[in-house]
């Protein structure tokens, strides 16, 4: 999943637009983009939209960002959207694997009520939105087979830390958020799930977005959250491996396949050993089917 586009659950026009935006996933938001008094109506509109959208042929992956476990709102969210069978929920303000276990139990109940198979609704966790979350970012492994990816957030974290800003004058994340980003990456790898980079909120700044995508792709993130449809094609482009990179990966895999006992091979005067093979296999596994 390269691009995951947020859409406020209460805006029908944007929901429709998101479905044809080219995003790999659409995230129907019941959390931060919905005012407290508008939650009930937003749940209804999310459920109505989901019911039709899930039945659409060749559609994006569809998830719902529910409200966090600490808010007292998540049960009503799940009651509303469970019967409409989203592919996944996004769990904000997750604090380690224990939060995923807790959310998974709630999902299992809704699946039983709706006649869905146990484990049908997956979970993508927002792993760095509270200070406490940073200290348990390494505890997601084995929490639940539902866990499909980790992502991270800097907005709620900066509010919690009492910061004036989370980026410097050049638009780069400051140290506490670079730490959160790295913990997301390492926490995801430790849990053997993909890591997805956070939003770039300045949605008219395509150069800034492009730079941040390139850095995230370089560091091992497989995709990025989007807040505007204009961000989707840039994200899709940068998180798709180039033809050269794919050809190189295939050559590495082929060289090791031809020499199954080798620890190291040479291709065109360059040495490749086992970590290169693992990286090549990972790249090919993430590449879109040809
Ligand atoms: N998903 C789908 N469509 C979107 C969209 C989104 N996230 N954001 C904008 N659009 C649509 C607009 O409705 C508009 O459609 P139109 O051309 O048919 O009128 C078009 O794209 C251009 O939008 P634009 O005028 O550039 O932006 P805007 O001022 O309407 O909206 C935001 C700006 C930030 C309010 C909007 O992008 C948004 O709601 N983003 C998601 C917010 C969110 O979910 N936040 C929570 C996670 S951080
Ligand atoms: Mg938030």
């Amino acid at each position: 999943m390269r691009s995951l586009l947020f859409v406020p659950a209460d805006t029908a026009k944007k929901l429709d637009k998101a479905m044809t935006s080219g995003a790999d996933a659409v995230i129907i938001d019941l959390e931060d983009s919905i005012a407290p008094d508008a939650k009930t109506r937003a749940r209804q509109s999310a459920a109505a939209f989901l019911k039709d959208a899930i039945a659409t042929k060749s559609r994006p992956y569809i998830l719902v960002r529910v409200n966090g476990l600490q808010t007292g709102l998540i049960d009503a969210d799940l009651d509303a959207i469970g019967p409409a069978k989203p592919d996944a929920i996004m769990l904000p303000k997750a604090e380690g694997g224990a939060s995923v276990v807790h959310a998974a139990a709630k999902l299992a109940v809704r699946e039983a009520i709706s006649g869905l198979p146990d484990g049908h609704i997956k979970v993508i966790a927002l792993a760095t939105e509270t200070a406490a979350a940073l200290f348990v970012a390494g505890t997601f492994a084995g929490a639940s087979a539902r866990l499909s990816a980790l992502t991270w957030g800097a907005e709620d974290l900066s509010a919690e830390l009492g910061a004036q800003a989370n980026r410097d004058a050049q638009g780069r994340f400051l140290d506490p958020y670079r730490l959160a980003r790295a913990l997301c990456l390492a926490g995801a790898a430790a849990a053997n799930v993909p890591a997805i980079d956070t939003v770039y909120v300045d949605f008219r700044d395509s150069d800034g977005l492009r730079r941040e995508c390139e850095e995230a792709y370089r560091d091992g993130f497989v995709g990025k959250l989007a807040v505007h449809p204009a961000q989707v094609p840039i994200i899709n482009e940068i998180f798709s491996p180039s033809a050269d990179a794919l050809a190189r990966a295939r050559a590495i895999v082929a060289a090791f396949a031809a020499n199954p006992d080798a620890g190291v091979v040479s291709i065109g005067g360059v040495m490749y050993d086992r970590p290169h093979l693992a990286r090549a296999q990972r790249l090919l596994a993430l590449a879109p089917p040809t």
Side-chain angles (χ1 to χ4, degrees):
M1 238 181 281
R2 303 160 301 175
S3 52
L4 300 88
L5 175 60
F6 272 114
V7 194
D10 59 358
T11 321
K13 197 180 89 171
K14 287 183 197 168
L15 287 168
D16 288 338
K17 213 178 167 82
M19 288 291 281
T20 55
S21 63
D24 294 331
V26 171
I27 310 166
I28 305 171
D29 188 29
L30 291 173
E31 197 214 15
D32 287 343
S33 70
I34 304 296
D37 290 344
K39 298 285 184 193
T40 306
R41 206 172 59 82
R43 285 183 192 116
Q44 289 161 357
S45 113
F49 172 78
L50 256 175
K51 221 167 130 267
D52 292 340
I54 286 287
T56 319
K57 278 211 194 94
S58 66
R59 59 171 174 81
Y61 194 79
I62 304 177
L63 52 160
V64 179
R65 182 166 71 170
V66 294
N67 291 279
L69 288 164
Q70 306 86 340
T71 59
L73 298 170
I74 186 172
D75 285 300
D77 292 345
L78 294 175
D79 286 341
I81 58 119
K85 307 176 186 171
D87 294 319
I89 61 160
M90 177 171 278
L91 183 66
K93 301 186 179 68
E95 293 181 342
S99 299
V100 177
V101 171
H102 190 171
K106 291 180 183 291
L107 287 169
V109 173
R110 273 67 181 196
E111 286 165 345
I113 292 169
S114 299
L116 277 173
D118 182 48
H120 179 88
I121 305 175
K122 304 292 187 273
V123 175
I124 294 184
L126 266 159
T128 69
E129 291 193 305
T130 70
L134 300 183
F135 296 95
V136 288
T139 65
F140 285 95
S144 167
R146 294 175 195 271
L147 185 68
S148 302
L150 292 188
T151 183
W152 71 283
E155 306 306 326
D156 291 274
L157 181 60
S158 54
E160 185 155 325
L161 296 179
Q164 310 293 324
N166 53 29
R167 293 174 182 268
D168 67 14
Q170 283 73 48
R172 287 185 194 264
F173 277 119
L174 295 163
D175 280 350
Y177 315 97
R178 299 204 75 77
L179 172 68
R181 177 181 183 276
L183 286 172
C184 171
L185 202 54
N192 202 20
V193 294
I196 295 164
D197 195 23
T198 195
V199 293
Y200 190 75
V201 292
D202 190 356
F203 59 84
R204 307 266 182 240
D205 175 15
S206 56
D207 291 342
L209 172 67
R210 190 168 274 282
R211 178 183 72 192
E212 205 162 275
C213 288
E214 281 164 353
E215 291 174 357
Y217 181 66
R218 174 199 69 197
D219 291 348
F221 288 95
V222 306
K224 190 167 176 68
L225 303 176
V227 294
H228 191 282
Q231 296 184 319
V232 168
I234 297 173
I235 294 173
N236 286 352
E237 179 200 322
I238 295 170
F239 286 92
S240 301
S242 68
D244 277 0
L246 286 173
R248 195 163 45 246
R250 287 198 192 94
I252 294 169
V253 170
F256 277 99
N259 301 282
D261 297 329
V264 58
V265 297
S266 109
I267 306 169
V270 179
M271 182 215 72
Y272 296 96
D273 60 10
R274 290 277 154 182
H276 293 106
L277 175 61
R279 219 156 72 195
Q281 285 166 332
R282 185 185 144 106
L283 185 84
L284 293 174
L286 291 171
T290 45

